[in-house]
């Protein structure tokens, strides 16, 4: 389970423990002072704790104690999913003290008696400890005050929940699929087969699986549904990839010659050359190693097709036995054994010498104890040589640790890693360089065989080095081909009997770390723990395979899309059993009891994590460049020098060393900065585009306004000219124009009408009616008509203008208008004189401008 990084504060919450229930501890264990703690009672979840709980997670027990590894006091909660430690100081979850129940390998109650001083009472003080050992390389110790029964409550809750008798009692079934629903693993398996056959255009779905129409083939291989009901082999997938030339009847005969009916089946094939990577279990050759099967020999021989490219002849077959030779011979006593090269055409038998599951388990226990002993956060609470500024692992160079196995406490873990890497590299080289076919098996064909086949496929096929391809590889070779995850991870199986794991270290060289004796202290003689009741089949086989991938990721940093952090989170999810992908021992069991539909999907959860961070998420490898390694990875033997995987092995015992390498850390920081700058750039560009768009709109408006203004100016000039004409015309009539301060204009016009003054006033209301087509105006014009009594006055300026400019004026000075037209000068009437008497004399029958 990925480490919880939420930091919701619980400072304001109502504490479930009173002041008298607190433990005050700082510094070393001896500095802890205890106060009285009352008998714990069952109470509801405190306010604020629900922010840290997952869906359907419930608190079952609690106790107030100290995490000895860090000397930090807090509250320890037991839920139906995990052991959760909440710091008293920060009120946040402490990652070291929080572990899923399924990740717990074993737990013990330990009482350590402390020596009493000469002046102290005869009663010897004791430490009451709870040791929890995880499958993820951590050993943590919690301490409780004596005679409070809080440790008992926590221990009993762990007994009930950490060892569920039935599979249905696990948390993943209570949580349900939620938003991480799982698709059909069968559909994904058939689609992967189609990809291997080069038939990507064919796509399978749930309907083709149900009606059995998923069978396809190419020139060499075909997808068979012979195991659709799991009748032939209960631990094999429902569909198999087998040679096209082999009939289903021959397959049924061949399976009887292999242990647990795990016949040779194709795991990976090269569509260009026809070479294949196949897997099976050991042959049942008997004690005398002389048993044979024609069906099995024909099936294995069909894996060696004709060489392509005009070379002629059949390709060579390598039969890789993952076991040491002596172990293979020993299996003959139980009917097993290994093949004889004389019985299989053009074949060669190779033994890799990889130890069995029990040796792997012992090795990991020794490694875990050694790291806890020398780590900066040791479970005994004592200061190690690294805690107070000591030198770093391997002198700062992790690769130097592989020079001497004794550096790691003679654990042998790196030797096992090297053996698996070397065997996988050898298989990949035979297929890539010789176009040979390889058949891999061990005893049952589901532990070491799966390690070698899956790792060799990863080396051969670049698709499996992507995140999507990694999922397809795990689901095909580990889940579909029946690796017993329930047995190897220590989970309950469908038979209803839980798998009880040992409560004592299987190593005799390293005692359990919390009871490493110091001067003046000695452990109790009978620490309380649960004893194993059945044979122990727990073994870190899958963890070892992921460790091998981390070694390849270190050697080829440009070849993998995923990062080391992805592998760590992936392992945490698998060990926690929060999701149902890795429950049960086979595809048949998961299918029979509907685990995929009842539980959440690990892959959907990881996809959701990556979606939140995009390509800059920590699960993506910053250096990934598929163009650099677009073919097989064939590491030389000299490069197969494994080191500790710091992100996994050292994250609890020495967190400072568990951080990613300096170069990768700096690159990730730079990538984050580049991402932030890119976001800021995008925002700035968007704002710039918006501003440019706004400016363009403003330019258009300004252009329209300018055009409107220009039109208005032209109209104004035209109106001014017309007004000037009217003004001059009116002035030529002897009018007087007066403009008041409020823009009212008064025009006095002289007329020959005697004794008949008239005032014609233009008001806004009349103007609105008259000028409806030309717009409204606020100017008020008043026109007054007054009789002109000065027509004959010689000094009249109008008459002088007419006399000087009008050529039609009589010599006597009389005006002939309207009997004669007035002269026009520059489009303006000059000397115009309104002779209203002449208008009155006209009739409708009179013509204008009649000759005299």
């Amino acid at each position: 389970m990925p480490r919880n990084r939420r930091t919701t504060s619980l400072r304001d919450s109502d504490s479930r423990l009173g002041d008298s229930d607190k433990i005050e501890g700082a510094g070393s264990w001896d500095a802890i002072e205890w106060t009285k703690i009352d008998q714990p009672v069952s109470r509801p979840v405190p306010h604020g704790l629900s922010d840290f709980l997952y869906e359907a997670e419930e608190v079952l027990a609690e106790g107030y104690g100290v995490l000895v590894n860090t000397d930090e006091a807090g509250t320890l909660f037991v839920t139906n999913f995990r052991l959760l430690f909440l710091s008293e100081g920060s009120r946040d979850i402490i990652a070291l003290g929080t572990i899923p129940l399924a990740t717990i390998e074993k737990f013990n109650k330990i009482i350590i008696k402390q020596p009493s001083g000469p002046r102290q009472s005869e009663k010897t003080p004791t430490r009451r400890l709870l040791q929890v050992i995880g499958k993820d390389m951590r050993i943590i110790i919690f301490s409780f005050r004596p005679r409070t029964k809080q440790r008992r409550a926590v221990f009993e809750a762990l007994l009930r929940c950490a060892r569920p008798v039935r599979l249905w009692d696990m948390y993943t079934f209570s949580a349900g699929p939620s938003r991480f629903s799982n698709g059909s693993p069968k559909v994904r398996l058939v689609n992967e087969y189609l990809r291997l056959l080069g038939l990507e255009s064919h796509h399978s779905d749930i309907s083709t699986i149900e009606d059995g129409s998923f069978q396809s083939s190419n020139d060499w291989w075909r997808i068979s549904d012979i195991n659709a009901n799991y009748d032939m082999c209960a631990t094999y997938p429902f569909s198999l990839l087998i040679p096209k030339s082999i009939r289903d009847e021959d397959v049924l005969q061949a399976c009887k010659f292999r242990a647990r009916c795990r016949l040779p089946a194709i795991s990976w094939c090269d569509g260009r050359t026809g070479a294949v990577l196949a897997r099976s279990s050991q042959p049942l050759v008997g004690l005398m190693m002389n048993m044979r099967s024609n069906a099995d020999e024909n099936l294995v021989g069909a894996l060696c097709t004709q060489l392509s490219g005009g070379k002629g002849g059949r390709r060579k077959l390598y039969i890789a036995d993952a076991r040491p030779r002596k172990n293979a011979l020993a299996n003959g006593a139980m009917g097993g054994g290994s093949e004889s090269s004389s019985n299989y055409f053009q074949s060669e038998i190779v033994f890799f010498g990889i130890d069995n599951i029990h040796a792997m388990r012992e090795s990991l226990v020794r490694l875990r104890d050694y790291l806890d002993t020398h780590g900066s956060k040791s479970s005994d609470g004592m200061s190690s040589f690294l805690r107070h500024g000591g030198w770093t692992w391997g002198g700062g160079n992790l690769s130097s640790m592989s020079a001497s196995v004794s550096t790691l406490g003679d654990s042998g873990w790196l030797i096992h890693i090297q053996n698996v890497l070397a065997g996988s590299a050898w298989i990949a080289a035979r297929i890539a360089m010789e176009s040979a076919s390889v058949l891999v098996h061990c005893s049952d064909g589901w532990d070491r065989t799966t390690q070698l086949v899956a790792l060799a496929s990863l080396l051969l096929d670049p698709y499996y080095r992507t995140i999507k391809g990694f999922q397809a590889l795990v689901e095909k070779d580990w889940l579909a081909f029946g690796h017993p995850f329930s047995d190897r991870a220590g989970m309950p199986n469908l038979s209803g009997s839980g798998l009880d794991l040992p409560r004592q270290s299987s190593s005799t060289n390293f005692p359990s770390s919390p009871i490493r004796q110091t001067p003046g202290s000695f452990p109790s003689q009978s620490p309380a723990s649960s004893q194993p009741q059945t044979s122990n089949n727990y073994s870190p086989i899958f963890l070892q395979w992921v460790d091998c991938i981390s070694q390849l990721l270190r050697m080829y940093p440009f070849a993998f899309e995923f990062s080391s952090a992805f592998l760590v989170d992936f392992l945490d999810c698998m060990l926690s059993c929060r999701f149902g992908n890795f429950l049960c021992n086979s595809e048949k069991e998961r299918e029979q009891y509907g685990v995929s539909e009842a539980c959440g999907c690990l892959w959907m959860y990881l996809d959701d994590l990556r979606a939140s961070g995009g390509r800059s998420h920590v699960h993506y490898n910053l250096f990934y460049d598929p163009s650099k390694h677009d073919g097989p990875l064939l590491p030389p033997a000299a490069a197969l020098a494994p080191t500790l995987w710091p992100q996994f092995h050292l994250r609890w015992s020495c967190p400072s060393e568990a951080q990613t390498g300096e170069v990768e850390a700096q690159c990730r920081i730079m990538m984050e900065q580049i991402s932030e700058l890119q976001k800021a750039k995008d925002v700035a560009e968007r704002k710039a585009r918006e501003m440019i768009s706004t400016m363009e709109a403003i330019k258009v408006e300004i252009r329209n306004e300018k055009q409107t203004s220009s039109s208005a100016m032209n109209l104004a000039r035209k109106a001014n000219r017309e007004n000037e004409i009217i003004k001059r015309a009116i002035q030529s009539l002897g009018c007087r124009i007066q403009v008041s301060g409020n823009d009212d204009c008064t025009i006095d016009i002289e007329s020959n009408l005697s004794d008949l003054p008239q005032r014609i006033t233009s008001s806004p209301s009349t103007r609105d009616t008259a000028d409806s087509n030309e717009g409204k105006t606020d100017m008020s014009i008043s026109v007054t008509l007054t009789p002109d009594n000065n027509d004959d006055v010689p000094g009249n300026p109008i008459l002088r203008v007419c006399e000087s400019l009008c050529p039609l004026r009589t010599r006597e000075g009389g005006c002939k208008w309207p009997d004669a037209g007035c002269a026009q000068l520059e489009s303006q009437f000059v000397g115009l004189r309104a002779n209203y008497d002449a208008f009155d004399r006209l009739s409708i029958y009179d013509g204008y401008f009649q000759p005299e």
Side-chain angles (χ1 to χ4, degrees), residues 635-762:
L640 298 177
T643 68
L644 279 183
W645 181 13
Q647 288 83 3
F648 186 81
H649 292 140
L650 302 179
R651 58 173 170 166
W652 304 120
S653 59
C654 193
S656 61
E657 292 290 336
Q659 302 300 323
T660 55
E662 182 179 356
V663 175
E664 182 178 354
Q666 292 179 357
C667 289
R668 192 167 295 280
I669 292 174
M670 293 176 61
M671 288 293 294
E672 292 177 355
Q673 293 176 350
I674 292 174
S675 178
E676 294 297 329
L677 291 175
Q678 184 64 36
K679 292 179 181 178
K681 177 185 175 183
D682 295 339
V683 172
E685 290 179 350
R686 184 174 63 254
K687 290 183 178 179
R689 288 192 297 268
E690 293 176 355
M691 293 179 63
I692 292 175
S693 177
T694 304
M695 291 176 62
E696 292 295 333
I698 293 175
K699 286 182 179 179
V700 172
E701 293 180 359
I702 292 175
R703 191 180 300 110
N704 294 336
E705 290 292 337
K706 188 174 181 180
Q707 293 177 356
T708 304
S709 176
S710 177
S711 300
M713 291 294 293
N714 293 333
L715 292 176
R717 284 193 292 268
K718 181 178 179 181
N720 287 337
R721 288 196 300 269
E722 293 176 354
N723 291 339
E724 190 66 26
I725 293 172
I726 295 173
K727 180 178 179 181
R728 295 182 63 180
I730 293 175
Q731 288 178 349
S732 67
L733 296 177
C735 301
R736 293 188 299 274
I737 301 176
Q738 298 178 358
V739 181
S740 62
N742 58 357
D743 294 335
D744 289 338
C745 180
T746 302
I747 304 176
D748 294 332
I749 303 177
E750 297 178 352
S751 177
N752 293 328
L753 299 176
S754 60
D755 302 328
L756 188 60
Q758 265 186 335
R759 183 172 295 274
I760 304 174
T761 303
S762 177

Side-chain angles (χ1 to χ4, degrees), residues 478-709:
W478 287 93
L479 293 172
F481 276 92
H483 176 70
F485 277 99
S486 287
D487 294 343
R488 299 297 179 260
M491 295 178 288
N493 51 44
L494 292 175
S495 63
S497 60
L499 179 61
D500 294 324
L501 300 181
R503 303 295 188 254
Q504 302 296 331
S505 174
S506 57
S507 171
T508 57
N509 297 330
F510 290 90
S512 299
S513 28
I515 57 175
R516 287 195 293 270
Q517 299 184 16
T518 57
S521 66
F522 56 95
S524 63
Q525 300 300 321
S526 57
S529 64
S530 300
Q531 299 297 329
Q533 299 177 356
T534 60
S535 61
N536 180 22
N537 290 320
Y538 166 72
S539 185
I541 299 299
F542 188 73
L543 166 61
Q544 192 176 52
W545 178 74
V546 178
D547 195 344
C548 291
I549 297 178
S550 73
Q551 308 294 332
L552 294 175
L553 181 59
R554 177 180 56 86
M555 289 186 283
Y556 300 98
F558 300 100
F560 294 85
E561 183 185 18
F562 46 83
S563 65
S564 181
F566 167 80
L567 297 177
V568 172
D569 288 344
F570 169 69
L571 271 180
D572 284 341
C573 289
M574 189 277 293
L575 294 174
S576 70
C577 295
R578 183 182 173 187
F579 307 98
N581 302 75
F582 295 90
L583 297 180
C584 306
N585 286 326
S586 64
E587 179 185 280
K588 175 184 178 181
E589 293 182 0
R590 286 185 292 272
E591 180 71 19
Q592 183 177 355
Y593 293 93
V595 174
S596 299
E597 292 78 14
C599 304
C601 179
L602 177 147
W603 309 111
M604 295 296 294
Y605 170 74
L606 294 178
D607 289 345
D608 186 71
L609 286 182
R610 290 190 299 274
S612 62
R615 295 297 301 183
S616 62
H617 194 270
V618 69
H619 284 181
Y620 289 104
N621 180 17
L622 295 176
F623 308 107
Y624 176 58
D625 187 357
S627 62
K628 290 183 177 295
H629 300 284
D630 56 353
L633 298 179
L634 303 177
L640 298 177
T643 68
L644 279 183
W645 181 13
Q647 288 83 3
F648 186 81
H649 292 140
L650 302 179
R651 58 173 170 166
W652 304 120
S653 59
C654 193
S656 61
E657 292 290 336
Q659 302 300 323
T660 55
E662 182 179 356
V663 175
E664 182 178 354
Q666 292 179 357
C667 289
R668 192 167 295 280
I669 292 174
M670 293 176 61
M671 288 293 294
E672 292 177 355
Q673 293 176 350
I674 292 174
S675 178
E676 294 297 329
L677 291 175
Q678 184 64 36
K679 292 179 181 178
K681 177 185 175 183
D682 295 339
V683 172
E685 290 179 350
R686 184 174 63 254
K687 290 183 178 179
R689 288 192 297 268
E690 293 176 355
M691 293 179 63
I692 292 175
S693 177
T694 304
M695 291 176 62
E696 292 295 333
I698 293 175
K699 286 182 179 179
V700 172
E701 293 180 359
I702 292 175
R703 191 180 300 110
N704 294 336
E705 290 292 337
K706 188 174 181 180
Q707 293 177 356
T708 304
S709 176

Side-chain angles (χ1 to χ4, degrees), residues 311-500:
K311 297 180 181 180
R314 295 176 60 181
R315 68 184 72 250
K316 188 173 182 179
L317 171 67
Y318 290 96
I319 300 178
D321 195 325
R323 302 166 294 180
R325 182 186 295 270
K326 61 179 181 179
N327 292 16
L329 296 176
N331 273 273
M334 297 179 290
S338 186
E339 296 88 348
S340 174
S341 59
S342 60
N343 296 335
Y344 296 89
F345 178 78
Q346 204 170 342
S347 64
E348 181 178 342
I349 314 297
V350 180
F351 292 91
F352 288 156
I354 302 175
D355 288 328
N356 58 22
I357 62 173
H358 308 292
M360 303 303 177
R361 180 179 63 251
E362 300 290 337
S363 176
L364 185 65
V365 168
R366 289 192 295 267
L367 175 63
R368 181 176 56 205
D369 288 342
Y370 179 84
L371 295 179
D372 179 70
T373 303
H374 299 286
S376 62
K377 292 187 177 181
S378 178
S379 62
D380 59 3
M382 305 300 291
S383 298
S384 69
F385 64 90
L386 284 180
R387 179 171 293 189
H388 296 295
W391 52 275
T392 57
W393 287 104
N397 183 10
L398 293 177
S399 62
S400 65
M401 304 178 70
S402 61
S404 175
V405 180
S406 61
T407 306
L408 299 177
D410 198 19
S411 67
W413 179 258
L414 297 183
I415 296 297
H416 297 313
I417 295 293
Q418 187 176 31
N419 290 338
V420 176
L421 282 172
S424 303
W426 187 91
I427 294 172
R430 301 288 75 77
I431 295 177
M433 300 175 64
E434 300 180 15
S435 296
S437 293
V438 180
L439 171 64
V440 185
H441 71 76
C442 53
S443 296
D444 294 320
W446 54 39
D447 290 315
R448 289 164 286 189
T449 299
T450 304
Q451 287 180 326
L452 293 170
V453 169
L455 201 59
S457 299
L458 191 79
L459 292 171
L460 288 167
D461 198 336
Y463 173 71
Y464 292 138
R465 301 193 286 268
T466 66
I467 293 179
K468 185 178 179 181
F470 179 80
Q471 174 185 346
L473 178 64
V474 171
E475 290 191 316
K476 173 174 64 72
D477 280 314
W478 287 93
L479 293 172
F481 276 92
H483 176 70
F485 277 99
S486 287
D487 294 343
R488 299 297 179 260
M491 295 178 288
N493 51 44
L494 292 175
S495 63
S497 60
L499 179 61
D500 294 324

Side-chain angles (χ1 to χ4, degrees), residues 839-850:
F839 278 110
D840 292 338
R841 293 194 297 269
L842 292 175
S843 67
I844 193 172
Y845 299 104
D846 294 333
Y848 294 98
F849 309 113
Q850 294 293 332

Side-chain angles (χ1 to χ4, degrees), residues 107-119:
F107 52 91
N108 303 302
K109 287 196 299 184
I110 302 175
I111 299 177
I112 298 181
K113 297 180 180 180
Q114 295 176 306
S116 58
R119 297 184 179 181

